[in-house]
Amino acid sequence: MQLKQMTEKVYVIESRTINLGLIIQGKECIIIDTGLDKTSGQKISNLILEHNFELQAIINTHGHADHFGGNQRLVKLTNVPVYSSAWEINFLKTPKLEPFSLFCGANPPRILQNKFYMGPKSPGEDISCNKDFIDYWGLDIISLPGHSLGMIGIKKDGILFVGDAYLSEGPLAKHPVPFLMDVDASIETLFMLRDDPDCNFHVNSHQGIYSTRGETGQVIEANIRRLEEIYVLLENTIASSPKTSQELAKIALDYFNADCNTYFVYQLIIVTINAYLSSLLDKQRIQPIMKSNVLYWSK
């Protein structure tokens, strides 16, 4: 891990897999996200001690394991509070909720209860109920739903940590059907981020620090086009003939020449397809039908 200074008080902690945030005030500091596991938490602790900072709090953009997996280690070492949105703290406190949601609300099999989908249990407080903390650190907390239902962004001095609100160019090429839980909210979030005049840089959690003077708009536009492309693909496919969710997942993957070789990734794809189906159904553009005890989606 290494520090990249963005402003006098805002740093990005760059690592091989994720960008984290460090905000300082004198010798005090707060961390935005903590990575996948206790190893990440220990590395963050070492980095803070190396620079003689004193950790005061952790903020998690959302409750996915690769963003809060280091919480438990840091809390054990420092006993600091952890903040996120009211929705996301449920996943911090009860990590089994993530594989539970991926497995359609049933008790998830053990193979889904791994560190990539179920981080170590963490405390959590609703950041919106802690105005004094927000004011002391001079933060703007911005709702960014879509990738997860309660994801938040943290803005300080023109630098906005956007979590997984959109994919940078490399991951978008590698994962052409981006994981999301609410497609309409995700598109609204993308338009809001694209049109926000008060940011100088976006810090994307995975492989991206983008200047809002050109770079950010291009990357966000690519994400908007991709989500809209998938939306049209699924709606047109269903209009041609009824399809199951599994058939639609295959059609979307084949359309982008993508390979899905693991069960773990397939579960993410199925959740994403269901998010599109939910939107189409709510807008009365498709309907569920039963044929021979099989659920199909039809125009």
Side-chain angles (χ1 to χ4, degrees):
M1 289 182 171
Q2 59 184 13
L3 286 180
K4 179 182 179 68
Q5 187 168 12
M6 303 297 294
T7 69
E8 180 184 355
K9 296 182 177 181
V10 181
Y11 294 78
V12 176
I13 302 175
E14 296 180 310
S15 72
R16 186 174 57 86
T17 58
I18 193 168
N19 290 320
L20 312 173
L22 173 71
I23 297 174
I24 65 169
Q25 194 145 282
K27 284 298 182 180
E28 296 179 328
C29 73
I30 57 176
I31 290 290
I32 300 171
D33 288 334
T34 60
L36 181 62
D37 53 24
K38 65 180 181 181
T39 300
S40 177
Q42 186 63 57
K43 288 181 179 179
I44 293 168
S45 176
N46 295 344
L47 188 69
I48 290 171
L49 292 173
E50 178 185 337
H51 289 83
N52 296 313
F53 295 135
E54 297 175 4
L55 185 62
Q56 301 298 306
I58 297 165
I59 305 176
N60 292 124
T61 56
H62 59 297
H64 289 169
D66 59 331
H67 290 259
F68 77 88
N71 285 14
Q72 189 180 87
R73 180 61 176 166
L74 284 168
V75 170
K76 183 178 181 180
L77 291 170
T78 62
N79 198 34
V80 296
V82 177
Y83 300 109
S84 193
S85 72
W87 177 269
E88 298 297 325
I89 60 175
N90 295 302
F91 291 80
L92 307 184
K93 294 179 176 180
T94 312
K96 194 174 181 179
L97 285 176
E98 184 177 355
F100 179 83
S101 66
L102 294 176
F103 204 61
C104 302
N107 186 47
R110 290 192 183 95
I111 57 173
L112 281 182
Q113 297 182 49
N114 60 61
K115 73 174 186 177
F116 298 101
Y117 294 143
M118 195 171 84
K121 186 176 181 180
S122 167
E125 300 177 34
D126 181 358
I127 195 166
S128 68
C129 296
N130 288 271
K131 188 175 184 300
D132 289 345
F133 170 80
I134 294 171
D135 290 344
Y136 177 79
W137 286 95
L139 307 176
D140 290 318
I141 307 300
I142 300 169
S143 179
L144 302 175
H147 175 77
S148 67
L149 298 183
M151 187 165 65
I152 55 173
I154 297 91
K155 182 161 65 175
K156 169 76 173 178
D157 296 343
I159 311 300
L160 177 59
F161 293 85
V162 300
D164 292 345
Y166 57 86
L167 294 181
S168 51
E169 293 169 339
L172 186 59
K174 184 178 180 181
H175 305 288
V177 183
F179 175 79
L180 50 81
M181 304 191 80
D182 185 329
V183 61
D184 295 313
S186 188
I187 291 173
E188 289 178 14
T189 289
L190 290 171
F191 277 117
M192 183 273 291
L193 289 172
R194 185 196 65 180
D195 299 334
D196 181 4
D198 297 325
C199 282
N200 297 321
F201 288 92
H202 284 177
V203 180
N204 186 289
S205 291
H206 301 288
Q207 299 183 12
I209 301 174
Y210 295 105
S211 167
T212 55
R213 295 177 177 85
E215 291 178 299
T216 296
Q218 294 172 13
V219 175
I220 290 177
E221 285 289 351
N223 279 259
I224 293 171
R225 287 194 301 270
R226 177 58 52 81
L227 300 193
E228 291 178 340
E229 186 177 11
I230 295 169
Y231 204 103
V232 171
L233 170 67
L234 296 179
E235 184 173 17
N236 288 345
T237 298
I238 291 169
S240 67
S241 64
K243 294 288 187 293
T244 67
S245 298
Q246 288 75 16
E247 288 172 330
L248 291 169
K250 175 175 170 50
I251 287 166
L253 290 167
D254 288 348
Y255 180 83
F256 293 106
N257 296 314
D259 289 325
C260 182
N261 297 320
T262 69
Y263 169 68
F264 310 108
V265 175
Y266 186 74
Q267 282 299 125
L268 300 179
I269 297 295
I270 287 295
V271 171
T272 300
I273 295 299
N274 284 339
Y276 284 94
L277 294 173
S278 175
S279 173
L280 288 165
L281 183 60
D282 284 349
K283 294 173 183 175
Q284 299 183 335
R285 292 160 75 164
I286 62 171
Q287 60 179 329
I289 60 172
M290 297 298 299
K291 290 184 178 181
S292 302
N293 293 328
V294 177
L295 173 63
Y296 290 86
W297 299 96
S298 178
K299 190 67 175 175

